[in-house]
Structures are given as C-alpha cells and as structure tokens.
Amino acid sequence: MKGKEDIIETIRRCILEQIPREAEVTRIEFEGPALAVYTKKPEILMEQGYIIAGVVNTIKKRIVVRPDPSVRVEEEKARLAILELVPEEAGVGNIFFDPTLGEVIIEAEKPGLVIGKEGTTIMEIVKKTRWKPKVLKKPSITSKIVSNIRHLLKSESKERERILRSIGERAFRTPTFSIGDVRITALGGFREVGRSAILVQTKESQVLLDCGVNPGATRSSNAFPRLDAPQFDIENLDAVIITHAHLDHCALIPYLFKYGYDGPVYCSPPTMSLMTLLQLDYLEVLGKQGRLPPYDEKHIKECVLHTIPIKHGVVTDITPDIKLTLHNAGHILGSSIVHLHIGEGYYNIVYTGDYKYGRTLLLEPSTSSFPRVETLIMECTYGGPDDIMPSRVEAEQRFITIINETLEAGGKVLIPVPAVGRAQEIMLVLDAYIRRGLLIETPIFIEGMISEATAIHVSYPEYLSPRIRSEIMKCVDPFKSEYFTIVEHSSERDEIIEGGPCIVLATSGMLEGGPSIEYFRNLALNEKNTLIFVSYQIEGTLGSRIQKGIKEVQMLNDEGKIEIIKVNMRVETVNGFSGHSDRRQLLAYLKNISPKPERIILCHGEATKCTKMASLISKNFGVEAIAPKNLETIVLK
Ligand code: ZN
C-alpha cells in the first residue's frame, strides 16, 4: 500500500511543480495505464502542449488532460454550442458525450472543418464547453456495435472509472521482485491452429497473450486453452492482450471474467468493436446448435468495460516491469503484432499473432521493424513446403474464371467467408471485376454479420490501406456497389435459392454455423453450383472435410432429424486471398525483420508444419528455432 502511495505522490509532486497554477489542476488520478490530470482550464494545457510533453519526459508515464467534471457544460447546452461553432459544411452527425473521460465524440463528414485552421475551432469548443473533443470521420454506415459500446461505457460510467483506477494502481505498483525469470508457457495454439493462448511471466508479472477457442474441436477438452495449467493463476493475472478479432484468438476472454478476472484487456480500437461482435455471435451460434455456452452476455459486457483500446505504436506500461506496444499485423482490420519490453532494456518479445507480410486491398503489410527483439513468437499456418500461394493477380484471375464458368452454366456460387476481413476483401474484388467488365454482371447476395463488420471497417479508416482510407475520407463508400444486396432476414433466402445465377457471400467461413450452412444445404445437390473456399479451413470443421473431398454430409434438418446431403456441387479452393503469410512471406519476414531475434518460437500451424519449419529455420538462419507443444514452458532469460 505504502509503495503505491510513494509512486503516485512522487508523480503528483512532479506534475504540480511543472504545471502552471492558472491551469487549476484539481486532482491527478490513474486512468488505466495513464495518469489523468483533471483541470478547470483544459485549454491551457491543450494550447501549450509542451507543458505536458515536459512532464511526460520527466516521469516517463502517459498523461491525459481531463476537464474537471465541475466545469463541464451540461450536455445539451454543449451540443448546441458545438453546432453553433462548427460551420454547417462540416456535416456534423453524431455528437456523443463520454463522462468517464470528459470527452465529446464529434462525427463529421469533413472532420477538418471541426478542427479548424491550426485547431482554432476545436480550441473554441474546449473553451465554450469544457469538454475535450475527439473528432471522427462520420461513417457512411452506422455500426450498431460501435454505438452499443459507447452507450454501455456511458451508462456504466461509475464502474468504468473504478475499473480504470484499479487497473492503474496495479500497473504502477511498486515492484516486489527484482527483474528476472522471463518465461512463456504454451497454453493453446501450439502445433495446432485454434485456441491460441500464451502466458508470459516474469517474477513480478503475468500476462496472457490471446485467449481463443478451437472451432474445429470435437471434444470440449481440446476446444479451450489449457487454463488448468499450474502456471496459470487467474488471481495473479495482470493483463490480457488480444492480437485480433478472430474466434481462435479472442472468443474466451469473457470466460475469464466469469471466473473472477478483474484486470485489463488491451487491444487496438477496431479489435475492441470487432471482438465484441464476434463474441456475441459466438453465443448465438452455440445457442442455435443447442450447445452449452461457456459464458453469458453479461460476461461480454464485463469484457467491454475492462477493455483498454491502444493505438498502434503507442508505448504503454501494463505492469511494473512490462511495456506493451502494438504494431500493424496486416491480417484483418485492427490486427496487431505484440511487442513486450521487459525491464529497462532487460528483454524483448515479439508475438506476431496472425500476420500478413504482403499487401492486400484492405491493409498494409505487417511491421517488421522493432526497437529490439530477442525472442520472436511466430505463426506458421502456411509454413508447409507446399504452402506457396499464387500471386494475388493469379488468385484473382482463377477466382473470376471459376465464377464466370459457373454463372455461364446457369449455376450459383457460394463463397463462405469469415465476416471480418476476407468478406470485405472479396467484396472489393468482385465489384472491381464487374466494373472492369471481366466478371459477368450478376446479383451478389451478402448475408450474416458481414454488413455489421463492414460498418465497423468504415468506422476506423486510419487502420485501412491508404487507398481505401482516402476513399472513405472523400465520402466514397468503398464497400458499396450496385450489385450488392444485403440479405436482412433468413426468409429472403428461399427466393435466392430458387432464383437464377448469382453469387452468395455468407458467414461462417468454415461452414460451422451461420447462413453459409443453409445455403450449402440447398445448393450442394446441383452440380451446376460451385462452392469456393477463400480462407483457411481449420482441421475438423465441416469446411475442412468438404475441402478434402467428402461426398456426403450428415446434417440436422429443421425437425432435428439427421439428413444426408450429397455434395454434387463443384468444390474449389482459391489460395492467395489469405490474410496469413504464405511460406515465402514467412521466410522473407525472418530475413527482413530488424533487429534479428536470437530465438524463434513457432505456433499456430499443424504439428508437422511447425516442426519442419523450426528445423529449416535453425539450419538456414543460424538461430535457435523451436516448435513447443501445448503445456511446455520455455525459460527465455
Ligand atoms: Zn486470424
């Protein structure tokens, strides 16, 4: 207890010494991994940015300026004041107040006009309302999830404040142990794809990287990470870090809250929205399949309240001896490579999560340069000798040829897609090829969570490729096309199935629940139709079995009886759209990563791919490379 007071007291004294009296600082509080300076005159500290920069330089902690609640103008009055100050051409949409942070989110078609020349308009807003504006591009489609999260954080404002304070107190505690014993334990996703989870420990800290399920698991014993491992102790867990919003990386975080976890979940801002969408859908799909969910909706809410979004590139103290920085992973929107800096220059770990070392329409290639790295934990989904993907151009041409052949023969094309990432990428490809006259004009039906996931994409333009970002900033919706029809309700499905040639994009991507299964059930028998896989099929999923060529599938019909579905439709896999690095890209990454790691630990790949890749790397790169099994602990330093 005393230690904590010492640290906060030292920091408080330092801040008060450097901040001018006229700023009227009222209090200094922990706000998650940052320190919040509450002031009655926020404009002074915002206008004279060098004051806070100076303090940050001295105390080496993140500082945020917060207007004191006593001076904030009532929300309705503040809203009117904002509308009066901002020119009409700015196209202001939503104005949303967040009392926990004292921020007002202003969405506008032209954010630049809200900011004003050299920030003059924004400063006027601060002076008039004493709320801190956060200006965002108004998205062309409103995301329900983004809006629900905002409302939840607002209605639970008091609880959120308590959580942020306790997270800060824990992160800034005076360390009990001297630095040492850096180790990791493989809890899931080693020599397999699915249920990713890695425990990182020092004497002082315990951090969990990812916490997913294995969607292809047949038994519950191999569906969840090994949280029963003796090394894992939920009571002493300091932080959870999530690389990206795919179920095999994020589905089980709410489960931790069910069992008493009360700490932070760090991830990028888009990941926060996307993973909430996926967790809610996960519960729904389990419910429809009559399976027992591992947690309830209230645990997803707990997860949202404990999530601290951090932008790529920002260094954050998450425990007394671990600093976290997230970098672009190029895999899906908001996907991150995790960099952990342990001790003051003592040790550095980089965990790639799923990553793409190559450009896609949606995203930039993953970051390969870090301040330091001793151990690299790398995925190798496509690490096998045959995992050489065709070039993007070849992949697109083959994809379009298969579709054209099917449409010409009067068939329908079913493309099962994960809602996040591949769906948006495929939408861009289809629209572009029709417009260039290379793909036969045809209706494209989109069903499942895809439209909500797309709405989340347009809400975070800064995480997308420069081309897509600039279209969004120019108010062009890159995901809109005259050929797309969003299927809102399952009752519309019959008409599509009975109708003429078309393309159907539906979730889930591995034919495990979701509308893609319903389309498959109805389209499988007709040999004129085609099923095209464009994403990785985890071993054991229905998608993976069909991909391998099974000709009969047992499925439950509406009356709950087993029916046999004959697979007469053409089944194709088009590689090259993947959000993962292929073998060449994995090896290119190892060649180009800077600085060179001393040790490489492989994960997220089938057993033989991991082990063979490890021996290849040891031989060719002259560094230690290993492919541990789940439950193995590796002492790094
Ligand atoms: Zn992934």
Side-chain angles (χ1 to χ4, degrees):
M1 206 54 197
K2 177 146 194 316
K4 184 190 87 195
E5 280 160 14
D6 283 348
I7 286 192
I8 183 76
E9 272 320 310
T10 319
I11 293 173
R12 195 168 275 153
R13 206 173 339 102
C14 172
I15 292 176
L16 290 175
E17 271 166 17
Q18 295 191 41
I19 293 182
R21 214 166 268 266
E22 57 272 25
E24 295 187 49
V25 171
T26 52
R27 60 198 165 104
I28 296 156
E29 302 273 10
F30 287 118
E31 186 186 293
L35 283 149
V37 174
Y38 285 83
T39 151
K40 288 191 175 174
K41 303 261 176 63
E43 65 274 17
I44 294 184
L45 297 181
M46 287 172 72
E47 259 168 348
Q48 302 171 42
Y50 59 89
I51 302 175
I52 291 297
V55 181
V56 171
N57 218 355
T58 326
I59 65 169
K60 306 273 185 253
K61 306 273 178 266
R62 268 173 62 192
I63 290 189
V64 280
V65 175
R66 300 294 179 211
D68 192 87
S70 68
V71 296
R72 295 178 200 161
V73 169
E74 213 179 286
E75 288 184 18
E76 206 33 52
K77 281 186 189 155
R79 181 193 311 275
L80 292 174
I82 291 166
L83 290 173
E84 212 164 276
L85 285 166
V86 176
E88 209 164 310
E89 311 88 86
V92 171
N94 258 325
I95 298 179
F96 190 86
F97 294 87
D98 179 349
T100 312
L101 308 180
E103 276 182 353
V104 53
I105 297 169
I106 306 173
E107 290 183 348
E109 265 155 30
K110 295 184 180 151
L113 292 179
V114 183
I115 295 163
K117 227 183 192 162
E118 287 162 7
T120 43
T121 314
I122 241 183
M123 219 38 93
E124 282 306 308
I125 295 174
V126 178
K127 283 179 194 161
K128 263 261 167 68
T129 67
R130 295 276 153 77
W131 285 83
K132 197 174 171 189
K134 185 172 166 188
V135 186
L136 300 178
K137 165 79 188 158
K138 179 173 175 250
S140 54
I141 342 165
T142 310
S143 152
K144 286 192 200 99
I145 287 285
V146 171
S147 139
N148 289 349
I149 289 177
R150 279 180 195 164
H151 283 98
L152 175 68
L153 295 181
K154 182 167 185 166
S155 66
E156 296 290 332
S157 175
K158 282 279 162 279
E159 173 65 358
R160 173 89 169 159
E161 274 171 39
R162 177 198 71 80
I163 292 167
L164 290 176
R165 206 158 299 157
S166 84
I167 288 171
E169 282 171 5
R170 201 174 153 95
F172 292 117
R173 68 183 182 261
T174 305
T176 316
F177 299 98
S178 57
I179 188 74
D181 282 358
V182 181
R183 57 183 75 199
I184 65 158
T185 300
L187 297 180
F190 284 76
R191 296 203 192 184
E192 64 179 352
V193 177
R195 59 164 170 172
S196 287
I198 305 168
L199 181 67
V200 178
Q201 290 171 295
T202 66
K203 277 189 214 161
E204 182 65 39
S205 316
Q206 319 245 5
V207 172
L208 183 65
L209 307 178
D210 283 340
C211 193
V213 285
N214 185 346
T218 41
R219 286 168 293 126
S220 58
S221 60
N222 56 15
F224 292 2
R226 297 298 303 267
L227 302 178
D228 58 329
Q231 292 88 340
F232 182 77
D233 172 14
I234 199 163
E235 299 277 311
N236 287 313
L237 186 61
D238 285 291
V240 178
I241 302 164
I242 299 301
T243 56
H244 68 285
H246 274 155
L247 286 180
D248 57 328
H249 295 258
C250 73
L252 274 193
I253 325 162
Y255 184 74
L256 300 173
F257 288 98
K258 180 174 171 181
Y259 286 95
Y261 180 58
D262 190 31
V265 176
Y266 293 105
C267 62
S268 71
T271 303
M272 180 178 186
S273 300
L274 288 171
M275 75 180 183
T276 308
L277 173 70
L278 261 77
Q279 289 158 355
L280 288 168
D281 186 68
Y282 173 63
L283 287 191
E284 203 184 309
V285 168
L286 288 181
K288 278 189 188 152
Q289 294 173 339
R291 284 155 67 186
L292 213 59
Y295 52 81
D296 302 321
E297 219 178 289
K298 64 170 186 268
H299 303 114
I300 300 180
K301 281 188 182 162
E302 280 296 311
C303 178
V304 170
L305 291 176
H306 286 79
T307 299
I308 299 184
I310 2 185
K311 291 183 177 171
H312 286 162
V314 177
V315 183
T316 304
D317 290 275
I318 58 165
T319 77
D321 60 357
I322 302 182
K323 286 186 194 340
L324 162 71
T325 316
L326 299 177
H327 299 271
N328 170 39
H331 172 61
I332 59 166
L333 176 74
S335 62
S336 310
I337 291 182
V338 172
H339 178 254
L340 297 178
H341 176 83
I342 299 169
E344 294 300 324
Y346 185 73
Y347 204 76
N348 292 266
I349 301 173
V350 167
Y351 167 45
T352 62
D354 294 357
Y355 80 106
K356 175 82 173 175
Y357 192 45
R359 201 175 300 279
T360 58
L361 290 178
L362 276 182
L363 305 168
E364 290 286 277
S366 58
T367 306
S368 60
S369 152
F370 304 91
R372 269 181 60 181
V373 48
E374 280 84 34
T375 284
L376 172 71
I377 308 172
M378 184 176 92
E379 69 126 324
C380 60
T381 319
Y382 290 111
D386 304 327
D387 290 332
I388 307 287
M389 299 292 167
S391 74
R392 184 54 196 253
V393 179
E394 287 169 295
E396 286 178 10
Q397 280 168 355
R398 188 157 163 263
F399 180 61
I400 298 300
T401 307
I402 297 169
I403 298 177
N404 279 337
E405 286 168 2
T406 307
L407 297 174
E408 272 164 15
K412 299 185 180 68
V413 179
L414 171 61
I415 310 171
V417 275
V420 176
R422 257 5 66 202
Q424 290 72 27
E425 188 80 20
I426 296 295
M427 283 160 74
L428 294 177
V429 172
L430 291 174
D431 181 56
Y433 274 82
I434 294 189
R435 276 194 282 162
R436 284 157 63 191
L438 298 170
L439 173 61
I440 298 171
E441 275 190 59
T442 190
I444 300 168
F445 297 100
I446 297 174
E447 188 173 348
M449 288 183 303
I450 299 169
S451 37
E452 175 56 25
T454 306
I456 296 176
H457 277 71
V458 294
S459 303
Y460 298 97
E462 64 275 35
Y463 288 84
L464 293 164
S465 68
R467 201 199 97 194
I468 303 291
R469 189 190 316 143
S470 92
E471 282 185 19
I472 294 175
M473 295 317 277
K474 284 184 211 141
C475 298
V476 179
D477 182 351
F479 303 108
K480 209 171 187 162
S481 159
E482 54 184 302
Y483 302 101
F484 296 163
T485 304
I486 308 292
V487 182
E488 304 274 5
H489 199 263
S490 55
S491 59
E492 296 162 48
R493 242 177 249 154
D494 290 347
E495 219 172 294
I496 299 166
I497 290 160
E498 311 277 294
C502 64
I503 300 170
V504 177
L505 288 184
T507 56
S508 75
M510 301 182 203
L511 294 172
E512 286 289 308
S516 63
I517 293 215
E518 295 310 313
Y519 286 101
F520 169 75
R521 183 202 299 277
N522 288 290
L523 300 177
L525 195 61
N526 188 340
E527 67 268 4
K528 284 185 184 167
N529 297 332
T530 304
L531 172 67
I532 310 180
F533 291 111
V534 290
S535 61
Y536 185 76
Q537 304 296 308
I538 292 184
E539 188 74 39
T541 56
L542 178 58
S544 158
R545 285 182 285 141
I546 295 170
Q547 193 178 37
K548 284 184 180 149
I550 53 159
K551 287 293 168 209
E552 276 185 3
V553 177
Q554 288 192 1
M555 288 174 93
L556 287 182
N557 64 15
D558 292 344
E559 286 116 50
K561 292 206 182 107
I562 291 181
E563 63 175 331
I564 307 282
I565 308 279
K566 277 203 162 32
V567 189
N568 292 340
M569 74 195 304
R570 180 177 171 190
V571 177
E572 294 283 355
T573 298
V574 177
N575 289 318
F577 289 118
S578 176
H580 292 276
S581 304
D582 77 345
R583 185 181 167 92
R584 275 185 298 208
Q585 289 166 333
L586 292 171
L587 295 171
Y589 193 73
L590 292 176
K591 223 172 126 196
N592 296 337
I593 187 172
S594 141
K596 294 277 161 276
E598 294 163 2
R599 181 193 288 111
I600 290 155
I601 297 175
L602 298 167
C603 63
H604 203 284
E606 288 156 22
T608 51
K609 293 189 182 181
C610 292
T611 48
K612 283 191 177 158
M613 191 70 166
S615 48
L616 176 90
I617 295 169
S618 317
K619 226 186 285 158
N620 291 7
F621 290 85
V623 288
E624 183 193 341
I626 51 171
K629 295 185 192 124
N630 286 332
L631 290 182
E632 269 185 55
T633 293
I634 299 125
V635 179
L636 301 180
K637 188 171 177 176

